[in-house]
Amino acid sequence: MTEVIVLNGGSSSGKSGIVRCLQAVLPDPWLALGTDTLVEAMPASMQASDAGIEFAPDGQVIVGPEFRTLEAAWIEGVAAMARAGARVIVDEVFLGGADSQKRWQKALGELRVLWVGVRCDSAVAAGREVARGDRVIGMAASQADVVHRGMVYDLEVDTTHAESMECARIIAAHVS
């Protein structure tokens, strides 16, 4: 039985919408946790520090050693929740591509994980980014492809033309 679903995609690719739809269509309760959850839990001072996480004016995201330390603890905590019986959907942005996936694979270990790539045309994601109004302009375009480099997925969905619910149903069909 699938215990963890990891969605990886760039900013404004549609992951959060898919997560909400997955929670609605999957028969059991699933917790939704993501990189935004981690960043929001950090002190504000870490969002303006070389050691923490910085959002550059051009949309680049720069992470420092203190961020990596907290991120590692958070990943282990998410894995512990899944081991304790919670089913978890992870909404992630693997800025390090395959290296990011390896960190999660190590922590998740023996858990049954469904790895899902969420793709979206960079121009479409950039348009969503502007409409959202809560992201640094340029983040979606800079992340659209880099987050998928070297990744190995069980399944990929593309939100360029597909609605969140359609993608969620495709993913749900692969959850055993």
Side-chain angles (χ1 to χ4, degrees):
M1 180 174 290
T2 304
E3 297 161 298
V4 179
I5 301 169
V6 177
L7 302 179
N8 174 50
S11 180
S12 299
S13 63
K15 297 178 309 297
S16 298
I18 292 171
V19 169
R20 285 189 299 277
C21 292
L22 276 169
Q23 288 179 307
V25 301
L26 290 168
D28 299 307
W30 287 73
L31 294 176
L33 299 168
T35 192
D36 288 344
T37 311
L38 171 63
V39 172
E40 289 168 9
M42 292 181 176
S45 62
M46 285 196 59
Q47 293 184 29
S49 160
D50 290 345
I53 185 168
E54 291 185 77
F55 302 95
D58 65 355
Q60 292 291 328
V61 179
I62 304 130
V63 297
E66 287 179 4
F67 177 88
R68 286 287 182 223
T69 299
L70 291 176
E71 178 191 44
W74 182 75
I75 291 170
E76 289 293 335
V78 171
M81 284 190 280
R83 283 190 193 90
R87 291 196 175 130
V88 181
I89 305 168
V90 178
D91 173 345
E92 259 293 356
V93 180
F94 286 163
L95 295 174
D99 288 338
S100 298
Q101 186 177 31
K102 286 176 188 167
R103 285 194 297 274
W104 275 95
Q105 286 171 326
K106 183 179 180 219
L108 296 172
E110 75 293 346
L111 292 166
R112 291 201 45 205
V113 181
L114 180 65
W115 296 92
V116 181
V118 179
R119 294 190 181 268
C120 183
D121 178 82
S122 63
V124 171
R128 291 176 186 167
E129 176 180 70
V130 170
R132 287 174 71 159
D134 66 347
R135 294 286 190 259
V136 175
I137 302 301
M139 194 179 294
S142 71
Q143 294 175 1
D145 294 320
V146 72
V147 299
H148 299 292
R149 287 193 189 136
M151 295 294 300
V152 177
Y153 297 118
D154 299 309
L155 175 67
E156 292 188 43
V157 295
D158 191 324
T159 65
T160 304
H161 303 291
E163 294 294 325
S164 295
M165 184 56 82
E166 180 183 347
C167 293
R169 287 191 173 116
I170 291 167
I171 296 165
H174 288 80
V175 173
S176 56

PDB file of all heavy atoms in Angstrom, residues 7 36 41 61 113 134 154 156 171:
ATOM      1  N   LEU A   7       5.034  14.764  -4.808  1.00  0.00           N
ATOM      2  CA  LEU A   7       4.824  15.555  -6.021  1.00  0.00           C
ATOM      3  C   LEU A   7       5.977  16.535  -6.135  1.00  0.00           C
ATOM      4  O   LEU A   7       6.226  17.303  -5.207  1.00  0.00           O
ATOM      5  CB  LEU A   7       3.517  16.346  -5.949  1.00  0.00           C
ATOM      6  CG  LEU A   7       2.217  15.580  -5.741  1.00  0.00           C
ATOM      7  CD1 LEU A   7       1.050  16.554  -5.683  1.00  0.00           C
ATOM      8  CD2 LEU A   7       2.002  14.561  -6.824  1.00  0.00           C
ATOM      9  N   ASP A  36       6.527  24.732   1.184  1.00  0.00           N
ATOM     10  CA  ASP A  36       5.969  25.986   1.710  1.00  0.00           C
ATOM     11  C   ASP A  36       5.684  25.859   3.205  1.00  0.00           C
ATOM     12  O   ASP A  36       5.865  26.816   3.963  1.00  0.00           O
ATOM     13  CB  ASP A  36       4.687  26.379   0.968  1.00  0.00           C
ATOM     14  CG  ASP A  36       4.957  26.867  -0.443  1.00  0.00           C
ATOM     15  OD1 ASP A  36       6.117  27.185  -0.762  1.00  0.00           O
ATOM     16  OD2 ASP A  36       4.000  26.930  -1.235  1.00  0.00           O
ATOM     17  N   ALA A  41       7.207  27.660   8.565  1.00  0.00           N
ATOM     18  CA  ALA A  41       7.489  27.303   9.952  1.00  0.00           C
ATOM     19  C   ALA A  41       8.797  27.913  10.462  1.00  0.00           C
ATOM     20  O   ALA A  41       9.017  27.968  11.672  1.00  0.00           O
ATOM     21  CB  ALA A  41       7.546  25.779  10.093  1.00  0.00           C
ATOM     22  N   VAL A  61      16.144  30.898  -6.037  1.00  0.00           N
ATOM     23  CA  VAL A  61      16.051  30.557  -4.621  1.00  0.00           C
ATOM     24  C   VAL A  61      17.422  30.065  -4.185  1.00  0.00           C
ATOM     25  O   VAL A  61      17.989  29.163  -4.796  1.00  0.00           O
ATOM     26  CB  VAL A  61      14.981  29.466  -4.373  1.00  0.00           C
ATOM     27  CG1 VAL A  61      14.915  29.115  -2.901  1.00  0.00           C
ATOM     28  CG2 VAL A  61      13.625  29.921  -4.893  1.00  0.00           C
ATOM     29  N   VAL A 113       6.551   4.534  -1.761  1.00  0.00           N
ATOM     30  CA  VAL A 113       6.441   5.916  -2.233  1.00  0.00           C
ATOM     31  C   VAL A 113       6.034   5.925  -3.700  1.00  0.00           C
ATOM     32  O   VAL A 113       6.568   5.159  -4.504  1.00  0.00           O
ATOM     33  CB  VAL A 113       7.785   6.665  -2.067  1.00  0.00           C
ATOM     34  CG1 VAL A 113       7.673   8.102  -2.542  1.00  0.00           C
ATOM     35  CG2 VAL A 113       8.261   6.603  -0.616  1.00  0.00           C
ATOM     36  N   ASP A 134       1.630  36.213  -5.137  1.00  0.00           N
ATOM     37  CA  ASP A 134       2.349  35.958  -3.883  1.00  0.00           C
ATOM     38  C   ASP A 134       3.716  35.310  -4.116  1.00  0.00           C
ATOM     39  O   ASP A 134       4.305  34.765  -3.211  1.00  0.00           O
ATOM     40  CB  ASP A 134       1.507  35.082  -2.954  1.00  0.00           C
ATOM     41  CG  ASP A 134       1.296  33.662  -3.490  1.00  0.00           C
ATOM     42  OD1 ASP A 134       1.581  33.420  -4.681  1.00  0.00           O
ATOM     43  OD2 ASP A 134       0.846  32.807  -2.709  1.00  0.00           O
ATOM     44  N   ASP A 154       7.653   7.595 -10.989  1.00  0.00           N
ATOM     45  CA  ASP A 154       6.738   6.489 -11.292  1.00  0.00           C
ATOM     46  C   ASP A 154       5.679   6.954 -12.276  1.00  0.00           C
ATOM     47  O   ASP A 154       5.109   6.155 -13.011  1.00  0.00           O
ATOM     48  CB  ASP A 154       6.044   6.002 -10.006  1.00  0.00           C
ATOM     49  CG  ASP A 154       7.039   5.479  -8.991  1.00  0.00           C
ATOM     50  OD1 ASP A 154       7.871   4.631  -9.360  1.00  0.00           O
ATOM     51  OD2 ASP A 154       6.996   5.934  -7.828  1.00  0.00           O
ATOM     52  N   GLU A 156       4.165  10.848 -14.363  1.00  0.00           N
ATOM     53  CA  GLU A 156       4.239  12.284 -14.596  1.00  0.00           C
ATOM     54  C   GLU A 156       2.880  12.789 -15.060  1.00  0.00           C
ATOM     55  O   GLU A 156       2.165  12.082 -15.774  1.00  0.00           O
ATOM     56  CB  GLU A 156       5.293  12.617 -15.655  1.00  0.00           C
ATOM     57  CG  GLU A 156       6.707  12.346 -15.194  1.00  0.00           C
ATOM     58  CD  GLU A 156       7.757  12.850 -16.163  1.00  0.00           C
ATOM     59  OE1 GLU A 156       7.598  13.979 -16.673  1.00  0.00           O
ATOM     60  OE2 GLU A 156       8.715  12.105 -16.406  1.00  0.00           O
ATOM     61  N   ILE A 171      -3.257  10.250 -10.770  1.00  0.00           N
ATOM     62  CA  ILE A 171      -2.366   9.852  -9.683  1.00  0.00           C
ATOM     63  C   ILE A 171      -3.064   8.855  -8.772  1.00  0.00           C
ATOM     64  O   ILE A 171      -2.490   7.811  -8.409  1.00  0.00           O
ATOM     65  CB  ILE A 171      -1.889  11.082  -8.884  1.00  0.00           C
ATOM     66  CG1 ILE A 171      -1.037  11.985  -9.789  1.00  0.00           C
ATOM     67  CG2 ILE A 171      -1.099  10.675  -7.640  1.00  0.00           C
ATOM     68  CD1 ILE A 171      -0.806  13.391  -9.253  1.00  0.00           C
TER      69      ILE A 171
END
